[in-house]
Amino acid sequence: MRVVYIRFIEAAQSYSATSVHEAADLVPGMKRKQQTQFKSEPSPKKKESCVSEMVAKSLSVVEMLKLGKVIHDRSTDIIQLYTFDVNQMSWSRNPQEVEFAIEKEPFGIGGFRRAFKASSTTLGFHNCKWVVKKYLQAAVDNIEAVKQTVEQHTKKVVQMHMLAKNIATKLQSELAKEDALVLYGETLKYKEVFMGKIEGGEFVTIEEFLEGKFTKYINNNGELSINDSEILKKAESLAHFSYEHSEKELMILDMQGSGYDLFDPEIASRKLIEDEEVLFSTGNLSTTAINNFISVHNCNVYCNLLGLQTLLSGGQDEENLMEFVVALSGKQLPLAGLLSQAILKESMSVQMRLQ
């Protein structure tokens, strides 16, 4: 009778040349092979595709038959897109050319711009609906009246958006650091926005279209736009956080959007003018808007989760602002007339509420 020894090796174990030779020594009759060195090679990394997989569109019979005819090209615009990197504090120097089909009629008109829906077939932009915002002529006149170009103002609009996006992201990271994100719930956020230059030299902004109902939560003058809601409380906490995070130098206002997605913020700064240039935009109502918000804001549970200090009304700042406006009016600056009227009007409104 012949006895055979069998050795079981688990699959999880790694094989080496020496283990094979050991098995040959244990099993009678098994020939020992010449020793070979095995070199372990790292597994190749899976190359990620930079192109998203296309999902086949469900075509109706009418659309199928339409493909039997020549499809005429839609009217499109080639827009040069510029991006702002808030980490590097710099604008891209080489724009990306993107083809957009912009609808003829605007779906919304504000005090400064008209909003048009747009689509694109350019890779990276083809999976989203977009909004192209163009300036009204009256807005262009106001921008030029304060000695700015439309390009400069558009850059400021994008920079304000990216600043608000940065602070909103910082709020989320602060909550995560304190293990309070679960209690706080979903946070408000801003998406990407680009400065665009259309053929012919017109400057616009391009941003992702937001589905859903539009709601304004806080005005640029600091007043609350709706009575009460969970998102309004979070919007107030974001404004409060931006004020404390900036060491009381500025506040995010004019919060509006669809659900938790916001767009077109305004920044109210403690200092309104620096080197004879209006900080941020002509919608900056400075300490008037900040004090207006403070007068109506009551810290809520979301402010508490962020560990924010209670805001105190700055009545003295109102007097300082009035003195500033008087001094501004005495200077021969082109923006004095435009800004002083708006600021004085808001200042009087705040003072009446504080009395």
Side-chain angles (χ1 to χ4, degrees):
M1 183 176 68
R2 188 176 182 181
V3 179
V4 178
Y5 295 89
I6 301 175
R7 181 182 180 187
F8 294 93
I9 302 175
E10 294 182 3
Q13 290 182 332
S14 60
Y15 294 91
S16 65
T18 54
S19 64
V20 175
H21 293 304
E22 289 172 357
D25 292 335
L26 290 172
V27 181
M30 181 176 178
K31 294 183 179 180
R32 185 185 181 102
K33 294 184 179 180
Q34 184 178 357
Q35 184 171 347
T36 305
Q37 296 293 329
F38 292 89
K39 185 177 180 181
S40 176
E41 296 289 344
S43 301
K45 293 183 178 179
K46 183 179 179 181
K47 187 176 181 180
E48 296 182 359
S49 174
C50 60
V51 181
S52 59
E53 295 183 4
M54 298 294 291
V55 178
K57 178 184 177 181
S58 297
L59 296 174
S60 66
V61 175
V62 174
E63 289 174 318
M64 293 179 188
L65 294 175
K66 188 180 291 186
L67 293 175
K69 299 179 180 179
V70 175
I71 303 296
H72 297 286
D73 293 336
R74 294 183 298 171
S75 175
T76 60
D77 289 287
I78 302 297
I79 303 181
Q80 293 181 323
L81 296 190
Y82 295 83
T83 57
F84 181 74
D85 188 336
V86 72
N87 295 322
Q88 299 295 327
M89 297 293 286
S90 64
W91 280 92
S92 58
R93 301 189 65 177
N94 298 316
Q96 178 183 2
E97 289 193 344
V98 180
E99 184 177 9
F100 286 99
I102 305 173
E103 293 187 0
K104 298 295 183 183
E105 298 298 325
F107 71 92
I109 301 177
F112 248 61
R113 296 181 293 175
R114 295 175 296 165
F116 298 82
K117 290 182 181 180
S119 59
S120 177
T121 56
T122 303
L123 188 64
F125 292 83
H126 62 288
N127 286 329
C128 295
K129 296 179 182 178
W130 298 92
V131 177
V132 176
K133 294 181 179 177
K134 300 183 177 183
Y135 290 99
L136 298 169
Q137 185 56 49
V140 174
D141 295 339
N142 286 337
I143 292 169
E144 293 175 347
V146 296
K147 300 300 182 183
Q148 285 188 21
T149 65
V150 176
E151 178 182 2
Q152 290 171 331
H153 187 274
T154 308
K155 282 185 173 181
K156 284 187 175 183
V157 169
V158 175
Q159 288 171 193
M160 283 194 300
H161 183 103
M162 297 307 292
L163 173 58
K165 183 177 188 293
N166 175 271
I167 294 176
T169 304
K170 184 66 176 177
L171 179 148
Q172 185 180 44
S173 63
E174 287 293 318
L175 289 168
K177 186 170 65 176
E178 299 298 328
D179 293 328
L181 189 55
V182 174
L183 291 174
Y184 190 98
E186 189 172 358
T187 59
L188 296 165
K189 54 188 178 293
Y190 291 88
K191 296 192 175 184
E192 296 293 329
V193 63
F194 306 91
M195 180 179 77
K197 185 178 181 181
I198 301 179
E199 294 171 307
E202 182 182 5
F203 285 94
V204 298
T205 60
I206 296 97
E207 60 197 64
E208 188 176 335
F209 176 77
L210 299 179
E211 301 283 356
K213 181 182 177 182
F214 167 83
T215 305
K216 183 181 280 281
Y217 303 105
I218 304 176
N219 285 309
N220 73 309
N221 63 3
E223 292 182 347
L224 308 183
S225 298
I226 56 178
N227 293 328
D228 186 39
S229 76
E230 207 67 17
I231 298 181
L232 172 62
K233 292 177 182 177
K234 291 184 177 182
E236 289 188 62
S237 72
L238 176 56
H240 188 168
F241 177 81
S242 67
Y243 188 57
E244 189 167 308
H245 180 64
S246 66
E247 299 180 354
K248 299 183 179 181
E249 287 294 326
L250 57 84
M251 181 182 287
I252 302 174
L253 294 173
D254 209 17
M255 294 191 198
Q256 57 201 326
S258 176
Y260 287 88
D261 291 312
L262 305 180
F263 58 85
D264 282 352
E266 285 284 356
I267 303 294
S269 58
R270 184 182 62 81
K271 185 186 294 185
L272 181 61
I273 296 176
E274 187 172 287
D275 299 328
E276 298 191 0
E277 180 181 354
V278 178
L279 295 181
F280 300 105
S281 78
T282 52
N284 179 4
L285 295 178
S286 191
T287 53
T288 297
I290 293 173
N291 286 328
N292 199 1
F293 174 81
I294 292 174
S295 69
V296 298
H297 171 63
N298 293 313
C299 283
N300 54 55
V301 62
Y302 302 112
C303 298
N304 296 334
L305 286 171
L306 288 163
L308 302 176
Q309 298 178 357
T310 302
L311 293 176
L312 300 177
S313 180
Q316 184 63 39
D317 286 342
E318 290 298 322
E319 297 178 11
N320 294 339
L321 178 61
M322 297 295 288
E323 293 176 2
F324 170 77
V325 172
V326 172
L328 177 65
S329 300
K331 294 183 179 181
Q332 298 301 314
L333 296 178
L335 51 83
L338 290 172
L339 292 179
S340 58
Q341 291 182 14
I343 294 174
L344 283 169
K345 181 179 178 181
E346 290 301 327
S347 297
M348 293 175 64
S349 176
V350 172
Q351 287 176 341
M352 290 178 65
R353 281 192 294 272
L354 292 176
Q355 289 176 351

